[in-house]
Amino acid sequence: MNFSPAIEDLIQALRCLPGVGPKSAQRMTLHLLERDRAGADNLAAALLDAVNKVDHCQRCRNFTELDICEICIDPRRDTSIICVVETPADVLAVEMSGSFKGIYYVLMGHLSPIDGIGPEEIGLDRFHRRVVEEGVSEVILATNPTVEGEATAYYLIDLLQGDGVKVSRIAHGVPLGGELEYVDGSTLAHALTGRRQVE
Amino acid sequence: MRVKLQPAFVLHSRPYRDSSQILDVLTAEYGRLALVAKGSRRSRRGGSAGAILQPFIPLLVSFSGRSEMKTLVASEMASNPLALGGDRLFSAMYLNELMVRLLHHHDPHPVLFVAYADTLRALNDEGCQLHAQLRRFEFTLLCELGFGFELAQEGGSGEAVTDDGWYGFDADYGLVHLGSPSNGQRAAFPGSDLKLMAAGEFGEPVKSTAKRLLRLALAQHLGDKPIKSRDLFRRT
């Protein structure tokens, strides 16, 4: 049996979400139409609102409705320390840790030549100009510990060398509450080479 | 088909569904393959389940499946991970991009697999001659793909390359003798360098010749799309 075109369209549209297949999309559609018309109205309005209003912050490229995001204009934050991350989700993750009081720069991706993403596509040169112009004192590279994240970090290290900026890379190692026996060899190798003297 | 403990390297990976990945791997006996690694992005005790499913880590993979895309059943590290950084990491990424662009799936290249593993091991050494390693690998890759050409003799006539001769490159014939000596031509290569390369020398003495010649030879097969990894080598 086929649904009417409007229902089919909605089912198809919902499938753009990650992890939503035909069956879940159908369930969501029928739920909204059968039981939660008000919720559907809200969802539609919120979606439109977000798509129209949310853009990238002009300074850190994170998502925001303002020209410059709340973190960047917060006077309590130290603007001389910039933490470079790959995605907006990473900003949230670092914020949740509650241990960083500087500002961010969101690359919106990482260097991945095979996918056609080079330094220009993620705006690394623009970031470099900003670091130089604003007299930033420290750049913390918090890209992912994957090959692409490492490549992005190395590229930035090379770019920032000679600018008198302190560049640091977040530590990689054993997770809290983890067991050494289950930690893979490459992580352990990192943990050992990056070991710290106990004072 | 069920394959156990096959030596392999991940060339590229992309996220698939919520917690899985599709891996593009180079195996020793089965060539380049696409593998689904189910649940490899989920976190596990002591880190993520797919932490070792990264490029440049020598792996032993077990996979099964009847369709074009196989399913990864198990994976373990075959030897110690490499510590590549800076230009050596970018070079290794360049090798991967070349192979993803040029190799077909399910086309076994055991010789290339060994050459790739050797090149990575050489790149792991901080003092290695990057360009020599890259040029040697590029030449092996061309030969493995069936696009190899003789370095010590002309393609058309079969005459030996002479030390004072100048040679051009033709995609169909290989090296062709150029009548007049080079007048600043980019695509002219001195015979003395070509003979050194034929003897296995890809290092400093033939640096510029080897780079220009192999880039020209590879360009014939790469098409219009540029190799993006070259952008990573920032030269000021």
Side-chain angles (χ1 to χ4, degrees), chain B residues 6 43 46 50 76 105 107 122-123 136 141 188:
Chain B
Q6 176 69 207
S43 67
E76 56 186 278
H105 280 134
D107 202 359
L123 290 179
R136 189 172 294 120
L141 179 64

Side-chain angles (χ1 to χ4, degrees), chain A residues 173-193:
Chain A
V174 184
L176 286 184
E179 294 168 43
L180 284 194
E181 185 188 346
Y182 296 105
V183 175
D184 68 281
S186 51
T187 307
L188 260 185
H190 268 296
L192 283 170
T193 43

Side-chain angles (χ1 to χ4, degrees), chain A residues 112-127:
Chain A
S112 179
I114 292 182
D115 299 314
I117 302 172
E120 238 170 74
E121 280 75 12
I122 50 173
L124 293 186
D125 290 344
R126 210 167 63 195
F127 172 68

Side-chain angles (χ1 to χ4, degrees), chain B:
Chain B
M1 182 167 101
R2 192 172 190 94
V3 177
K4 279 187 180 166
L5 299 175
Q6 176 69 207
F9 282 98
V10 173
L11 298 179
H12 186 56
S13 63
R14 60 173 197 273
Y16 174 63
R17 299 227 178 128
D18 280 351
S19 60
S20 306
Q21 275 177 304
I22 294 179
L23 307 173
D24 198 334
V25 298
L26 180 73
T27 59
E29 291 168 46
Y30 299 86
R32 199 182 139 211
L33 292 177
L35 295 181
V36 191
K38 287 187 180 149
S40 63
R41 289 158 66 217
R42 207 170 285 147
S43 67
R44 218 194 246 175
R45 251 197 309 196
S48 130
I52 61 163
L53 298 175
Q54 288 280 323
F56 319 128
I57 297 181
L59 295 174
L60 292 172
V61 296
S62 306
F63 53 90
S64 68
R66 287 197 200 113
S67 60
E68 166 85 19
M69 182 138 28
K70 313 290 180 206
T71 306
L72 182 76
V73 182
S75 58
E76 56 186 278
M77 253 196 286
S79 59
N80 291 338
L82 307 174
L84 299 172
D87 280 358
R88 294 177 298 127
L89 176 64
F90 298 155
S91 303
M93 291 174 87
Y94 168 69
L95 300 184
N96 283 9
E97 187 175 7
L98 269 189
M99 288 199 289
V100 167
R101 290 280 293 276
L102 294 174
L103 293 182
H104 293 285
H105 280 134
H106 304 287
D107 202 359
H109 291 288
V111 176
L112 189 67
F113 183 85
V114 174
Y116 178 67
D118 286 348
T119 309
L120 285 188
R121 218 168 303 128
L123 290 179
N124 199 34
D125 174 13
E126 256 176 78
C128 76
Q129 277 195 324
L130 273 186
H131 50 90
Q133 295 298 338
L134 293 183
R135 298 299 94 79
R136 189 172 294 120
F137 182 82
E138 287 170 346
F139 193 68
T140 313
L141 179 64
L142 281 171
C143 294
E144 272 294 305
L145 289 168
F147 303 132
F149 53 92
E150 285 294 332
L151 286 167
Q153 51 178 261
E154 281 182 59
S157 61
E159 277 179 45
V161 164
T162 53
D163 275 340
D164 51 0
W166 285 86
Y167 297 85
F169 178 78
D170 181 285
D172 297 323
Y173 293 104
L175 297 172
V176 273
H177 188 257
L178 296 177
S180 57
S182 141
N183 36 8
Q185 252 187 68
R186 250 189 87 72
F189 308 101
S192 51
D193 282 4
L194 294 170
K195 281 172 82 176
L196 276 175
M197 283 167 66
E201 171 66 64
F202 286 88
E204 206 59 48
V206 295
K207 186 174 173 183
S208 138
T209 303
K211 184 168 184 173
R212 287 184 299 128
L213 176 61
L214 284 162
R215 193 172 273 216
L216 196 61
L218 282 169
Q220 317 276 349
H221 310 292
L222 286 169
D224 298 334
K225 207 174 134 199
I227 287 279
K228 207 76 191 166
S229 319
R230 288 181 184 148
D231 294 356
L232 297 179
F233 296 91
R234 204 176 65 89
R235 289 289 163 264
T236 43

